[in-house]
Amino acid sequence: MNQGTVITFYSYKGGVGRTFVMANVAVVLARWGYRVLCVDWDLEAPGLWHYFEPWLKDSSRGMLQFLETFVRTGNADWRNYSTPVDLPDMGNRLHVIHAGSRQDDYVKGVQDLHWARLYEERDLGAFLERVRDEWKSAFDFILVDSRTGITDIGGICTVQLPDILICALVANQQNLDGIVEISNRALKARSRLPYDRGLLLILPLVCRFDARDEYAAGQKWLGQLAESLAPLYHSWINDKVTPRDLIDRTTIPYFSIWSFGARLPVATESSANPEYVSYRIETIAALIGHSLARTDLLVESRDSYVAAARRAAQRGFRYDVFVSATEEARDLVAQLVTALNRRGITTFQVFAGNPVEAKRALSE
């Protein structure tokens, strides 16, 4: 069984559109067919529930109550604090653990959570490891909305939990410096974790970008962002792709209409129109669907890249086409695979004399 992926959405400063992007990405992934869990870990300034409130079946308890149960008993079942989002075309695939019931005692409950003490005295780290494993078994993608700044909650969300860290920022120096600092902190802290982890992948995400009236200044800032953030891309970007290529294709533009209230444009507007914010949201969803891989296809054909991510949600196999051939046909297979990949069709190739690889591919 394939394990899910934990993606933390983090921002150094508030007001950059982090939660807006995460909520909309979650809807896109679920509509494609992925099983998605959204977790609001921004307990001090929760906002995720606003996006889903009309469609939540139960909003009486969430992350705060989940953690309080752990504090009292030493254990808690996250399923009791998760609620499905009853949006059309979801098929019960989108679930949310919001911050918690906003009763009079909510603020006191948050203030009573002493994170360092919980790690040292109650072994919260080991408990979260078990929860994380259960999430990854139950869902394809777990999207975590993190606290801003340098905080204990931010450390949990940027170091222990994620496989992928999405760092949202706007084009100013304090955001840029903060994201670079937090990313480097997360990478160093990740190497000291006492838990088995793969390499932490970091995707910088420029949000609320508006250069329509100041085109020259906008291009200058995009160049500066690409240069400063380049080291964060190097562990996963394709050799043929530059950081600027990805920034140009993933930057979330600013539209004033979506700054009023907490809304889901992906539920109402076309994602096929490059002039709409949903178009870029869908691109981010496709990157997540591909686990940040195949960025060369994204640059070559964004629509094929999105289509491939959508297809992957609707099938039980990792590859679209299985190619078996003799060694003599290797060059011909390479041409065929190149043509298929350009159209967003994934392939697995096995050549004569490699039955182990063939068995592994078929089992996946």
Side-chain angles (χ1 to χ4, degrees):
M1 179 178 180
N2 290 332
Q3 287 288 294
T5 303
V6 181
I7 303 104
T8 288
F9 284 72
Y10 170 86
S11 62
Y12 182 72
K13 304 284 287 186
V16 306
R18 179 195 74 241
T19 306
F20 168 82
V21 174
M22 182 180 129
N24 280 274
V25 164
V27 171
V28 171
L29 290 171
R31 282 193 167 163
W32 284 351
Y34 293 106
R35 301 163 299 163
V36 182
L37 173 66
C38 290
V39 182
D40 192 347
W41 217 298
D42 189 358
L43 300 182
E44 295 180 10
L48 181 64
W49 69 280
H50 285 289
Y51 290 91
F52 300 122
E53 184 180 19
W55 304 282
L56 290 180
K57 295 181 178 180
D58 179 12
S59 59
S60 62
R61 52 188 177 174
M63 180 57 67
L64 176 61
Q65 288 75 36
F66 170 65
L67 292 168
E68 288 177 332
T69 300
F70 168 75
V71 172
R72 289 196 310 270
T73 68
N75 198 10
D77 189 340
W78 59 269
R79 297 169 187 84
N80 296 330
Y81 304 87
S82 172
T83 181
V85 179
D86 197 20
L87 267 166
D89 304 324
M90 291 292 101
N92 207 38
R93 291 186 296 270
L94 177 58
H95 290 248
V96 171
I97 302 178
H98 56 78
S101 178
R102 301 304 303 275
Q103 302 299 323
D104 293 340
D105 58 352
Y106 179 86
V107 174
K108 183 178 184 304
V110 172
Q111 293 172 340
D112 286 344
L113 292 173
H114 301 286
W115 298 101
R117 189 181 306 166
L118 288 174
Y119 267 83
E120 294 168 4
E121 300 177 5
R122 304 298 297 275
D123 207 4
L124 177 63
F127 172 69
L128 292 180
E129 281 299 290
R130 295 195 299 272
V131 171
R132 182 180 185 272
D133 288 342
E134 291 175 2
W135 285 347
K136 287 168 70 74
S137 295
F139 297 94
D140 297 304
F141 298 106
I142 303 93
L143 310 185
V144 178
D145 196 20
S146 173
R147 186 77 182 108
T148 59
I150 303 174
T151 63
D152 291 330
I153 293 179
I156 294 170
C157 296
T158 59
V159 179
Q160 181 176 357
L161 291 179
D163 300 299
I164 297 172
L165 176 59
I166 296 182
C167 292
L169 71 156
V170 294
N172 62 43
Q173 200 62 48
Q174 57 181 322
N175 268 268
L176 178 56
D177 292 345
I179 287 301
V180 170
E181 178 186 358
I182 290 297
S183 297
N184 289 331
R185 281 174 176 257
L187 290 170
K188 291 178 181 177
R190 181 66 164 244
S191 66
R192 299 192 297 268
L193 270 183
Y195 311 113
D196 184 24
R197 283 290 187 280
L199 179 67
L200 177 64
L201 305 182
I202 300 179
L203 168 63
L205 184 61
V206 182
C207 299
R208 298 177 64 87
F209 191 80
D210 187 358
R212 287 169 292 185
D213 296 327
E214 298 291 344
Y215 179 80
Q219 292 302 305
K220 181 180 178 180
W221 258 104
L222 289 175
Q224 182 177 342
L225 290 166
E227 181 179 355
S228 299
L229 298 170
L232 303 181
Y233 290 92
H234 287 163
S235 64
W236 56 272
I237 195 172
N238 185 278
D239 291 342
K240 300 177 182 177
V241 177
T242 68
R244 179 61 188 268
D245 289 332
L246 288 189
I247 288 176
D248 285 343
R249 287 160 178 81
T250 59
T251 292
I252 306 296
Y254 173 74
F255 292 94
S256 59
I257 188 174
W258 301 118
S259 64
F260 299 104
R263 301 161 65 189
L264 297 170
V266 297
T268 58
E269 70 177 20
S270 171
S271 60
N273 189 334
E275 298 301 316
Y276 289 165
V277 70
S278 296
Y279 182 88
R280 293 300 178 96
I281 295 288
E282 194 178 57
T283 303
I284 304 304
L287 265 168
I288 290 173
H290 288 290
S291 297
L292 307 190
R294 305 182 66 197
T295 50
D296 53 333
L297 176 60
L298 171 58
V299 171
E300 182 178 337
S301 174
R302 178 267 181 194
D303 291 345
S304 295
Y305 190 78
V306 169
R310 185 186 296 114
R311 281 199 307 274
Q314 300 167 356
R315 56 180 166 80
F317 301 98
R318 186 175 299 178
Y319 305 98
D320 294 314
V321 176
F322 176 79
V323 181
S324 177
T326 63
E327 285 291 341
E328 291 77 7
R330 185 176 288 273
D331 290 342
L332 181 60
V333 168
Q335 297 176 40
L336 172 63
V337 167
T338 298
L340 291 173
N341 287 346
R342 284 177 175 170
R343 289 160 176 79
I345 300 173
T346 59
T347 62
F348 190 94
Q349 311 100 55
V350 172
F351 296 92
N354 200 348
V356 174
E357 286 295 316
K359 182 178 180 181
R360 180 170 72 85
L362 290 172
S363 67
E364 293 176 343

